Amino acid sequence: QHLTDEEVTELIKEFDTDGNGELEFKEFLAMMGKLMGGPSNAELLEEMFNLFDKNKDGFIDADEVKGMMKEVGQSLTTA
């Protein structure tokens, strides 16, 4: 699946329950559960969250989501 910048932004909006424009860990868990097709091991997801939270601020912003998608083999296109 190829995600555009707009699709990444919409994905973040869908799971950003507090509306701050970034994914906190609980929001990340919900997003990854959907992307992975169901509930997953919370410890594994916490490790993944920490891996993709490049600046270690406790949030995953749009640039970090783009980087994450590239690392897991998702191609991105600009809209």
Side-chain angles (χ1 to χ4, degrees):
Q1 180 181 3
H2 298 280
L3 296 175
T4 65
D5 287 345
E6 183 177 311
E7 289 170 326
V8 170
T9 300
E10 289 302 313
L11 188 63
I12 290 173
K13 284 181 184 178
E14 179 180 348
F15 293 97
D16 179 23
T17 58
D18 61 8
N20 68 354
E22 300 176 319
L23 296 178
E24 296 172 34
F25 182 62
K26 65 180 177 149
E27 297 164 337
F28 172 79
L29 285 176
M31 181 185 76
M32 291 306 292
K34 178 180 179 181
L35 292 175
M36 296 172 72
S40 300
N41 183 318
E43 289 179 11
L44 174 61
L45 289 175
E46 184 172 5
E47 288 178 30
M48 290 174 64
F49 180 90
N50 291 330
L51 180 66
F52 296 126
D53 180 18
K54 298 293 186 190
N55 62 6
K56 305 301 180 206
D57 65 353
F59 300 93
I60 299 176
D61 61 28
D63 288 334
E64 291 168 325
V65 169
K66 290 176 192 175
M68 172 181 57
M69 293 301 190
K70 287 179 183 177
E71 287 186 39
V72 298
Q74 295 293 319
S75 298
L76 298 175
T77 58
T78 56

